[in-house]
Amino acid sequence: MSVRVRFAPSPTGPLHIGGVRTALYNYLFARKNGGKMLLRIEDTDQNRYVPGAENYILEALKWVGIEIDEGQGVGGPHAPYRQSERKDMYRTYAEQLIAAGKAYYAFDTAEEIEAMRKRLEEAGADAAQYNAITRLQMTNSLTLSAEEVQQRIANGDPYVVRIKIDPKQDIRFKDIVREWVAVHASTLDDKVLLKSDGMPTYHLANIVDDHLMGITHVIRGEEWLPSAPLHVLMYQYFGWAAPQFAHLPLLLKPEGNGKLSKRDADLGGFPIFPLQWQDPTTETIARGFREDGYLQETIVNFLAFLGWNPGTEQELFTMDELIEAFSLERIHKAGARFDITKAKWFNQQYLKGKSDKELAAILEASHNAPAVSHDTLLKVCHLMKERVTFPQEILSETAFLFETPTEYEEAIVASKWNADAIKAITAYVEDLKIYEGDFLADSAKAIWAAAAERVGIKMGKVMQALRLAVTGAGHGPDLMLTMEILGKDEVISRLEKAISTLPQV
């Protein structure tokens, strides 16, 4: 049987970065095994539905580079792929379980259920659940006659459909990550499968859709592990073959103590969503990795290593290389610490590997590029790409290129601005004014060396003063390339301003 996996998010808000990792692992596994990647939108909880969330999911997956073979936004033979549009079908399967004695109608009101739980808590019960014991004291088709049940349904009384757990069995299944998992059915409660509004719960819709869509492997987060025994039991109740399960480790706080949350990200000063998100109700904006300047390659590489490793020393992978190296068997059981410092390191590596043309295109697409020529922007990218972590820093760290200094670094003025510096820079200005060739980094350096030699001063001794005069600071990127970008006339203007403005020593 060919591999078929699915990513099935709920449109309840922005996609968490942990969800992106789940999607990525599904995608890598599908591509490695020549299989298909499906996208299904699980929107059965209409109370939590958030407008715009579905489009956000589609855009986020596209940005990361996850190609959907079948599903929402693509189509396919099992459409529709939005669960709310499959609503009527689920009732058929719920009633199939009822007919087989594996589920039942329950007419209990919210007040009756709360009273039952309160009684159990007061009696010191281990769990206040609607289960094999308590269901016999409640209002359902197990305690009512067939006639009463039909009359209630005919009257339009609200009801849910609950699974009927047989408490006398062990449920065992082998998880690809966790190995064997065993749970006694007596610990499970009779979960609701079909809600009073006719919508299925996750438990029913997920099982039915995975079966009908031919899903062979369910790769999902560890938070779903407690539900897995119920799902395995439901496959048995339907008489269907269950897919193989792989439950992924949690993403932990940067300190490693507890599950990563948005609050942790806010406190740590980093995003937790792939793309920026504006809440449609409050209009508050949550940061996104893309808008913060993380590259697509960075996110793929970083997320791949959060819970998996290739078993080699290689750290930088293309998507194709990850597909080749990936296996579910190399996923860790333990939680993965969300080390944002490592993400920044990945970003630095991928920035360095970008061509000047690629970086310029990123800056131009961001609409933050300065009003300079494309050739100048290419030079700025070349100047800065090995000195920054994020593309936008190429511009923020080069403000000196676009604004003449109005202040000068005091410590450098005090230590490096002296008579020799003034003498050498004055000579440099004189030589620049009579130079008529192309003003490139090499020529800027040659003229500077000749001017310093002409006045008998070692070039290296006054180099920091020259940088101070040009940029206002004592440290920065390659000075000669900086001057090439500025152009001869601007360099002369800045040098003359420094000579007239700074102390005459």
Side-chain angles (χ1 to χ4, degrees):
M1 185 182 295
S2 62
V3 165
R4 288 173 63 83
V5 301
R6 50 70 166 177
F7 179 54
S10 298
T12 55
L15 182 62
H16 189 282
I17 198 66
V20 180
R21 184 196 62 171
T22 297
L24 177 63
Y25 280 9
N26 274 277
Y27 179 73
L28 295 176
F29 181 73
R31 289 293 181 268
K32 173 68 176 289
N33 293 279
K36 299 291 186 182
M37 170 80 170
L38 282 70
L39 175 65
R40 188 171 70 227
I41 300 298
E42 301 200 338
D43 60 343
T44 57
D45 190 344
Q46 292 291 293
N47 292 327
R48 298 180 61 214
Y49 174 80
V50 175
E54 183 180 312
N55 287 336
Y56 178 97
I57 292 166
L58 294 172
E59 185 181 352
L61 296 180
K62 182 178 180 180
W63 175 64
V64 174
I66 295 173
E67 300 170 345
I68 302 302
D69 300 305
E70 179 185 325
Q72 190 62 23
V74 177
H78 301 288
Y81 293 91
R82 190 184 288 121
Q83 286 185 335
S84 61
E85 297 174 6
R86 301 166 65 85
K87 174 181 175 181
D88 294 340
M89 175 195 66
Y90 300 116
R91 177 175 294 279
T92 300
Y93 288 94
E95 290 175 350
Q96 180 180 321
L97 290 179
I98 292 172
K102 304 297 185 182
Y104 57 95
Y105 300 106
F107 300 92
D108 315 280
T109 64
E111 292 76 17
E112 288 172 334
I113 292 175
E114 180 59 32
M116 176 267 289
R117 288 176 176 159
K118 187 174 181 180
R119 288 195 304 272
L120 291 174
E121 289 170 358
E122 290 174 350
D126 292 336
Q129 297 179 329
Y130 201 120
N131 57 24
I133 297 174
T134 57
R135 66 191 179 208
L136 299 179
Q137 304 159 13
M138 305 300 290
T139 310
N140 53 56
S141 57
L142 302 178
T143 59
L144 300 173
S145 68
E147 292 75 14
E148 288 178 298
V149 170
Q150 291 306 315
Q151 187 61 53
R152 281 176 174 264
I153 293 175
N155 291 342
D157 290 2
Y159 66 86
V160 300
V161 174
R162 290 182 178 271
I163 190 169
K164 184 182 178 185
I165 299 291
D166 178 357
K168 299 178 182 179
Q169 61 178 314
D170 285 315
I171 305 169
R172 300 178 75 248
F173 67 96
K174 190 171 185 180
D175 186 276
I176 296 173
V177 176
R178 310 282 159 178
E179 296 295 332
W180 283 101
V181 177
V183 173
H184 198 269
S186 63
T187 64
L188 304 180
D189 59 330
D190 290 357
K191 295 287 188 189
V192 172
L193 300 182
L194 198 69
K195 294 180 283 188
S196 58
D197 62 0
M199 273 291 190
T201 62
Y202 172 84
H203 304 295
L204 177 62
N206 155 59
I207 297 300
V208 170
D209 286 344
D210 281 352
H211 171 71
L212 295 179
M213 295 178 185
I215 301 304
T216 61
H217 296 75
V218 172
I219 305 168
R220 60 188 181 184
E222 182 182 312
E223 63 270 21
W224 290 110
L225 187 59
S227 297
L230 171 64
H231 297 166
V232 169
L233 186 61
M234 289 181 66
Y235 277 105
Q236 294 175 11
Y237 279 9
F238 278 118
W240 299 336
Q244 294 187 62
F245 290 94
H247 288 87
L248 308 177
L250 292 174
L251 294 187
L252 304 178
K253 303 179 185 195
E255 305 79 25
N257 57 340
K259 184 179 178 180
L260 179 70
S261 68
K262 184 179 182 300
R263 183 173 182 273
D264 299 317
D266 290 342
L267 290 174
F270 59 87
I272 201 171
F273 305 121
L275 314 178
Q276 182 176 285
W277 167 262
Q278 183 170 15
D279 188 284
T281 302
T282 65
E283 296 188 350
T284 57
I285 294 177
R287 293 164 58 181
F289 276 93
R290 181 180 66 181
E291 289 74 16
D292 268 23
Y294 287 89
L295 301 174
Q296 178 261 350
E297 302 96 312
T298 293
I299 296 305
V300 168
N301 216 145
F302 175 58
L303 291 180
F305 274 69
L306 287 179
W308 170 88
N309 75 74
T312 67
E313 296 300 313
Q314 182 178 350
E315 289 192 277
L316 298 177
F317 285 79
T318 64
M319 183 72 90
D320 286 342
E321 288 172 333
L322 281 172
I323 290 169
E324 181 64 28
F326 188 78
S327 72
L328 294 176
E329 287 73 20
R330 294 203 65 84
I331 293 176
H332 311 153
K333 294 182 180 67
R337 187 168 64 88
F338 198 84
D339 184 1
I340 197 65
T341 302
K342 189 67 175 182
K344 292 178 180 178
W345 178 85
F346 276 120
N347 222 49
Q348 289 173 328
Q349 304 312 305
Y350 283 113
L351 267 181
K352 290 177 184 178
K354 293 280 187 189
S355 68
D356 300 336
K357 186 176 181 180
E358 288 173 319
L359 288 177
I362 291 173
L363 294 177
E364 288 168 340
S366 71
H367 306 297
N368 290 322
V372 296
S373 70
H374 182 70
D375 287 344
T376 296
L377 188 58
L378 290 175
K379 292 179 181 180
V380 174
C381 290
H382 185 75
L383 177 72
M384 295 300 296
K385 69 180 180 181
E386 294 201 9
R387 300 178 62 89
V388 298
T389 301
F390 302 106
Q392 64 269 26
E393 291 176 344
I394 292 174
L395 301 179
S396 65
E397 297 294 322
T398 55
F400 59 84
L401 289 173
F402 312 107
E403 297 177 8
T404 301
T406 56
E407 297 180 353
Y408 299 88
E409 192 173 336
E410 293 182 2
I412 304 302
V413 172
S415 62
K416 298 296 181 180
W417 190 258
N418 51 41
D420 282 349
I422 295 172
K423 186 176 181 181
I425 292 172
T426 300
Y428 190 33
V429 170
E430 293 170 354
D431 290 356
L432 287 176
K433 285 183 175 180
I434 60 174
Y435 177 72
E436 295 183 351
D438 292 333
F439 188 65
L440 305 176
D442 289 344
S443 54
K445 184 176 182 180
I447 298 167
W448 168 241
E453 183 177 4
R454 178 163 60 82
V455 294
I457 297 171
K458 291 183 178 180
M459 183 174 64
K461 184 179 179 183
V462 290
M463 181 65 80
Q464 202 168 16
L466 177 64
R467 180 183 294 279
L468 177 78
V470 173
T471 69
H475 304 277
D478 185 287
L479 180 58
M480 299 306 155
L481 182 55
T482 297
M483 290 196 289
E484 176 184 325
I485 294 170
L486 289 171
K488 187 182 78 168
D489 292 344
E490 177 65 16
V491 170
I492 291 172
S493 174
R494 291 187 180 199
L495 295 180
E496 289 182 332
K497 179 182 179 182
I499 292 169
S500 64
T501 301
L502 292 172
Q504 301 294 311
V505 289

